[in-house]
Amino acid sequence: TYMNHPVGQECQAKEKKLMEMSVGSFAEGMQDGTIKGVKNPMMGAIATMIVHRGLYQFLLDDKGRMLQAMGVEQDSVVEFMRNLLYKGLDVDLEKLLIDDT
């Protein structure tokens, strides 16, 4: 099975590290006021992962057929979903996009 295969185990380890980084990013964003719509950084990270997995799985499975039939560009769907996610998380984009270097 996937979990017993070395590649599956490596993927799981990397996914766990990515989730830990995401939780840390949510915690930081909550603390500095960049993210206002999340009360629990773990839940924010999980919700973001689910949205991204769902979106990209749809795009991979669909291969653009449905979107093309509806006359919708794939990039516009990705942009719409990103904006929807940011609004749901109540992300302060002005704070997020400030380059303090």
Side-chain angles (χ1 to χ4, degrees), residues 50-98:
I50 290 169
V51 168
H52 283 116
R53 278 188 179 180
L55 173 62
Y56 291 110
Q57 190 62 49
F58 169 78
L59 295 175
L60 287 172
D61 289 347
D62 179 61
K63 296 181 180 54
R65 290 182 290 247
M66 184 177 12
L67 296 177
Q68 188 176 16
M70 295 184 307
V72 176
E73 293 291 324
Q74 181 173 309
D75 289 347
S76 66
V77 172
V78 171
E79 182 68 21
F80 175 82
M81 292 301 295
R82 180 181 15 226
N83 289 333
L84 185 67
L85 182 61
Y86 284 168
K87 286 180 184 178
L89 298 173
D90 196 7
V91 174
D92 185 341
L93 290 175
E94 288 183 26
K95 277 188 175 182
L96 185 67
L97 299 175
I98 291 174

